[in-house]
Amino acid sequence: MNAKERFEKFVTRKGLRRTLQRERVLEVFLATERHVTVQELYDLVRKKHSGIGYATVARTVKLMCESGVCRQVDFGDGSHRFEHKHGHEHHDHLICLECGKFEEIYSPELEKIQDRLVRKYGYIQESHKLDVFGLCPRCSKKKRK
Amino acid sequence: MNAKERFEKFVTRKGLRRTLQRERVLEVFLATERHVTVQELYDLVRKKHSGIGYATVARTVKLMCESGVCRQVDFGDGSHRFEHKHGHEHHDHLICLECGKFEEIYSPELEKIQDRLVRKYGYIQESHKLDVFGLCPRCSKKKRK
DNA sequence: TTAGATATTGATAATCATTATCAACTATAA
DNA sequence: TTATAGTTGATAATGATTATCAATATCTAA
């Protein structure tokens, strides 16, 4: 099931309505590979569809998060950014505190241990978010000088 | 080194000044085991020291985070909360999406694998944040009914 | 296909959190 | 003690998010 189907099923299942605006916001969101803020997504949307309002974009982002096609990423700078999961596997983030660059990382081993840990507490895992903060190779070299 | 020493050393090393207000905000913060917002901490501070302003509390929270005695925790509800590390070991969070309750979890194994992964990317780890979202035992039982 | 019920939209106002400003004050070093 | 520069509290400014509402669009049931 792709992201679009997933979102539309979610909307329908919730008794909400499928609208042109929601579809367009979703399309624009899926078409970018950046981690966008609501404002940035709004700007992108406006380039193609000038009639869509900020509130609609914000509301749609919230829905997209609930539906699971979108998730919030926080890199410690206070801004709220969102990324989609279309064509992505799940991944975590490795963020440089110095230059702000980040890597998307993934380790099946890490996932496995996490699963085991969560089950030990009797929880059913829905999702998780791991952000590692540190210094990237370039910045750590600079600092040592 | 306890949290108070750590904070004061940090302040001094940065060329900042030790003030009564900062000390009091820190004391009140360390005295609670809740995950507080700035506003909540401000309210707590005011109960004991009515002269301290909101801005001072907010500024001190920022300093406490930089110094490492405090860290931000986000439970997906949009509010910015802070917890201190006094008398705590490092831990991650297991958060129930249904009732909002959470557990503080820790696994040395998880930490080890994470370290290895980070090194593989050439990064130097400073800190990390793992939040697992799901259903707690009680809520998952309810849902199955 | 149509009508009625109700969700949605866009614009904007309201709210809330965070940050900036500044004059008065105070910690610190010499 | 004094000069310097950081700090404070009050409040204004800013930014982000949410609420409001009249007009409009969607969906369901008949």
Side-chain angles (χ1 to χ4, degrees):
Chain A
M1 183 163 60
N2 67 31
K4 214 161 167 179
E5 283 170 4
R6 185 170 181 175
F7 180 69
E8 288 174 357
K9 271 194 184 161
F10 171 82
V11 166
T12 308
R13 205 177 322 121
K14 261 207 130 185
L16 306 176
R17 295 174 182 174
R18 295 174 53 179
T19 67
L20 214 52
Q21 288 90 337
R22 284 180 180 158
E23 193 178 342
R24 284 172 171 169
V25 171
L26 178 64
E27 278 169 5
V28 171
F29 182 55
L30 293 178
T32 181
E33 289 303 321
R34 303 203 355 254
H35 298 67
V36 292
T37 60
V38 170
Q39 180 64 52
E40 286 168 359
L41 181 57
Y42 171 69
D43 293 338
L44 287 175
V45 168
R46 295 288 281 194
K47 281 189 195 164
K48 289 209 158 196
H49 315 285
S50 58
I52 294 179
Y54 182 93
T56 299
V57 174
R59 287 185 285 231
T60 305
V61 166
K62 191 169 243 180
L63 274 182
M64 292 191 302
C65 283
E66 285 179 58
S67 76
V69 305
C70 169
R71 71 166 180 161
Q72 193 174 336
V73 292
D74 282 309
F75 287 177
D77 63 347
S79 72
H80 293 170
R81 297 184 167 275
F82 301 87
E83 68 175 9
H84 63 76
K85 306 177 185 174
H86 181 61
H88 291 214
E89 287 311 307
H90 164 75
H91 57 264
D92 299 309
H93 290 108
L94 186 47
I95 302 132
C96 180
L97 290 167
E98 199 67 21
C99 66
K101 288 263 170 68
F102 64 89
E103 310 264 355
E104 300 188 341
I105 62 177
Y106 179 73
S107 156
E109 203 183 356
L110 199 64
E111 305 281 323
K112 207 190 300 170
I113 290 175
Q114 217 178 88
D115 274 343
R116 223 186 291 155
L117 184 63
V118 170
R119 270 204 304 272
K120 210 178 79 184
Y121 282 86
Y123 273 58
I124 294 173
Q125 182 165 186
E126 166 68 32
S127 66
H128 74 258
K129 192 156 69 172
L130 170 65
D131 297 326
V132 181
F133 300 92
L135 294 177
C136 71
R138 178 194 290 264
C139 288
S140 63
K141 235 178 254 167
K142 262 190 213 157
K143 277 233 162 166
R144 253 176 299 174
K145 276 178 193 166
Chain B
M1 182 164 59
N2 67 30
K4 213 159 169 179
E5 284 170 4
R6 184 169 181 176
F7 180 70
E8 286 174 358
K9 271 193 183 164
F10 171 83
V11 167
T12 308
R13 205 177 323 120
K14 262 208 131 186
L16 305 176
R17 294 175 182 171
R18 296 174 52 178
T19 67
L20 214 51
Q21 288 90 336
R22 284 179 180 158
E23 193 177 341
R24 284 174 172 168
V25 172
L26 178 65
E27 277 169 5
V28 171
F29 182 55
L30 293 178
T32 180
E33 289 303 321
R34 303 209 348 260
H35 297 70
V36 292
T37 60
V38 171
Q39 180 64 53
E40 286 169 359
L41 181 56
Y42 171 68
D43 293 338
L44 286 175
V45 168
R46 295 288 282 196
K47 283 188 195 163
K48 290 210 157 195
H49 315 284
S50 59
I52 295 179
Y54 182 93
T56 299
V57 174
R59 287 184 285 232
T60 305
V61 167
K62 192 169 243 182
L63 274 182
M64 293 191 301
C65 283
E66 285 180 57
S67 76
V69 305
C70 169
R71 74 166 178 159
Q72 194 175 337
V73 291
D74 282 308
F75 288 177
D77 62 347
S79 72
H80 293 170
R81 296 186 166 275
F82 301 88
E83 66 175 12
H84 63 75
K85 307 178 185 174
H86 182 63
H88 292 213
E89 287 311 308
H90 163 75
H91 58 266
D92 299 309
H93 291 109
L94 186 48
I95 303 132
C96 180
L97 290 167
E98 200 65 24
C99 66
K101 288 265 169 68
F102 64 90
E103 309 265 355
E104 302 189 340
I105 63 177
Y106 178 73
S107 156
E109 203 184 354
L110 200 65
E111 305 281 322
K112 208 192 295 171
I113 289 176
Q114 216 178 87
D115 273 343
R116 226 187 287 154
L117 184 63
V118 170
R119 270 203 304 273
K120 210 179 79 185
Y121 282 86
Y123 273 59
I124 294 171
Q125 182 165 185
E126 167 67 33
S127 67
H128 74 258
K129 193 156 67 172
L130 169 65
D131 297 326
V132 181
F133 300 92
L135 294 178
C136 71
R138 178 194 289 263
C139 288
S140 63
K141 235 178 255 168
K142 263 191 213 158
K143 276 234 165 167
R144 252 176 301 175
K145 278 179 193 165

